[in-house]
Amino acid sequence: MDHACVSGQSLGSEPTLPYLSPELRGQTLLVGANFASAGIGILNDTGVQFVNIIRMYRQYEYFKEYQRRVSALIGQQRTKRLVNQALVLITVGGNDFVNNYYLVPFSARSRQYALPDYVKFLISEYRKLLMRLYDLGARRVLVTGTGPLGCVPAELAMRGGRNGQCAPELQRAATLFNPQLTQMLKQLNNEYRSDVFIAANTQLMNGDFISNPRAFGFVTSKVACCGQGPYNGLGLCTVASNLCPNRDQYAFWDPFHPSEKANGIIVQRMLTGSTEYMNPMNLSTIIALDSKLADHA
C-alpha cells in the first residue's frame, strides 16, 4: 500500500482510483485520481529499463485531461475551486538515484555528473516540475523527500557493508538531496507568497524505525517480509519468494517498500509531526486551515 492510499484513509477520504481505471468516471472523478507510475523519476531517462511507465510530463497531460473531464461535469469555476482546494501528494526522486545514477557502474549520468552536481541538477529539474504543477492549479502540495535509500533490503543485499550496514553512497545521495529539496520548496513558497509546498522529511520518518525497529514493534528493519537472497533483498516479491509469517513485525514488505504498518507510522508523522518532519506545517494543521478557508469561500 502506498502513502497516497494510507494517508487518504487517515484523512477519512475515499481512496483515489488510478487515472486510467475504467471505473474512474462520473461522480467518482470528484473524489480525485491517482496519476502515479512505479519506476519513474524527475528525469525522463530514469526508469528506461521499464516498459509502459508513465513519465511526469505525461502524468501532467493526464492531470489537464482530468480537469477537462471534471469541467464537463460541474463547470469550469467549480473545477478550478476543486483543484485549488485539493491536497496533492507527489513522491519522486529516489528512482533518479536507484534506477538511473547508480543503476549500473559508470552509468551515463554518473559519467556526466559528480554526485553533488547531479543532485543540484535534479533539484533544478524538480523545481520546474513543481512550478508546472502550480500552473495546473495545485495550491496545496505535499512533497516527500527520499527515504534512507541505502538502508532498504535491496541495497543491503547489493551494496551494503558487513553486518547489514546501509550502502554509504546511496545514503550520501539522500543526505545531499533532501535538505536541498526542503530549501527549494521554501524558496518557491516565498515566490508564491503562500505555503503551497509542504516538505515531508521521509528520510527522518523512515530513519526512526530503521535505526530502532524494536521501539516500533518490528523484529527487524533489515530483512524484507517477502523476497529472496540476503535480507530477502534480491528480485521481486513473487510466489517463489520467502514469505514472513507476520508482515506487521517487518519494517519492509519487499526489497524496496515499507510494510503497511511502517507506512502507517510514516502517515502518523505526516499528520501530527513537528516541523522537523513536516515543514512548514503538518497535515492536521493544513486540514484545519483549509477547512476554515473553505467555509469562508
Side-chain angles (χ1 to χ4, degrees), residues 184-212:
M184 179 263 281
L185 298 177
K186 278 183 186 168
Q187 287 165 356
L188 279 179
N189 285 342
N190 285 339
E191 284 175 33
Y192 292 129
R193 298 182 180 202
S194 174
D195 290 327
V196 176
F197 299 103
I198 313 296
N201 189 340
T202 35
Q203 185 174 10
L204 188 60
M205 293 174 192
N206 283 268
D208 284 348
F209 59 74
I210 285 172
S211 59
N212 192 0

Side-chain angles (χ1 to χ4, degrees), residues 5 20 24-25 42 59 63 71 73 75 85 101 116 126 148 151 183 194 223 245 249 255 265 295 297:
C5 297
L20 297 178
L24 188 71
R25 59 182 189 273
I42 295 163
Q59 290 184 30
F63 186 36
S71 287
L73 275 180
Q85 291 175 356
Y101 196 84
Y126 203 174
C151 300
Q183 199 49 44
S194 174
V223 182
Q249 293 184 334
I265 294 164
D295 290 343

Side-chain angles (χ1 to χ4, degrees), residues 2-203:
D2 64 16
H3 294 162
C5 297
V6 182
S7 54
Q9 285 172 356
S10 304
L11 300 177
S13 63
E14 289 179 51
T16 50
L17 288 170
Y19 180 65
L20 297 178
S21 165
E23 292 168 42
L24 188 71
R25 59 182 189 273
Q27 293 299 305
T28 317
L29 281 164
L30 306 184
V31 176
N34 185 345
F35 300 87
S37 178
I40 67 147
I42 295 163
L43 306 179
N44 285 331
D45 56 297
T46 291
V48 288
Q49 73 275 35
F50 303 119
V51 290
N52 299 329
I53 60 173
I54 303 165
R55 292 184 168 81
M56 286 302 300
Y57 70 89
R58 189 82 179 107
Q59 290 184 30
Y60 282 6
E61 285 171 19
Y62 284 145
F63 186 36
K64 275 169 69 178
E65 186 181 278
Y66 165 81
Q67 291 185 48
R68 286 196 295 272
R69 289 173 68 192
V70 173
S71 287
L73 275 180
I74 61 171
Q76 224 166 339
Q77 276 310 103
R78 282 178 67 198
T79 299
K80 185 176 186 293
R81 195 155 64 243
L82 185 79
V83 172
N84 286 171
Q85 291 175 356
L87 179 64
V88 177
L89 170 66
I90 184 165
T91 299
V92 71
N95 286 325
D96 293 285
F97 297 105
V98 175
N99 288 322
N100 191 327
Y101 196 84
Y102 291 111
L103 181 64
V104 291
F106 311 111
S107 66
R109 287 297 189 187
S110 67
R111 290 198 309 272
Q112 185 184 9
Y113 292 104
L115 182 63
D117 298 323
Y118 182 63
V119 168
K120 279 185 189 144
F121 172 57
L122 283 182
I123 295 290
S124 69
E125 292 300 300
Y126 203 174
R127 191 178 201 277
K128 293 175 199 168
L129 285 176
L130 294 174
M131 289 172 79
R132 177 82 183 113
L133 196 53
Y134 182 89
D135 291 343
L136 289 170
R139 292 295 179 271
R140 203 57 107 180
V141 184
L142 184 57
V143 184
T144 63
T146 74
L149 295 171
C151 300
V152 300
E155 299 306 334
L156 296 185
M158 291 187 288
R159 296 188 177 90
R162 284 185 185 169
N163 308 321
Q165 290 157 318
C166 301
E169 267 300 284
L170 276 153
Q171 283 301 89
R172 185 172 161 240
T175 304
L176 283 171
F177 178 81
N178 288 315
Q180 289 185 47
L181 176 64
T182 302
Q183 199 49 44
M184 179 263 281
L185 298 177
K186 278 183 186 168
Q187 287 165 356
L188 279 179
N189 285 342
N190 285 339
E191 284 175 33
Y192 292 129
R193 298 182 180 202
S194 174
D195 290 327
V196 176
F197 299 103
I198 313 296
N201 189 340
T202 35
Q203 185 174 10

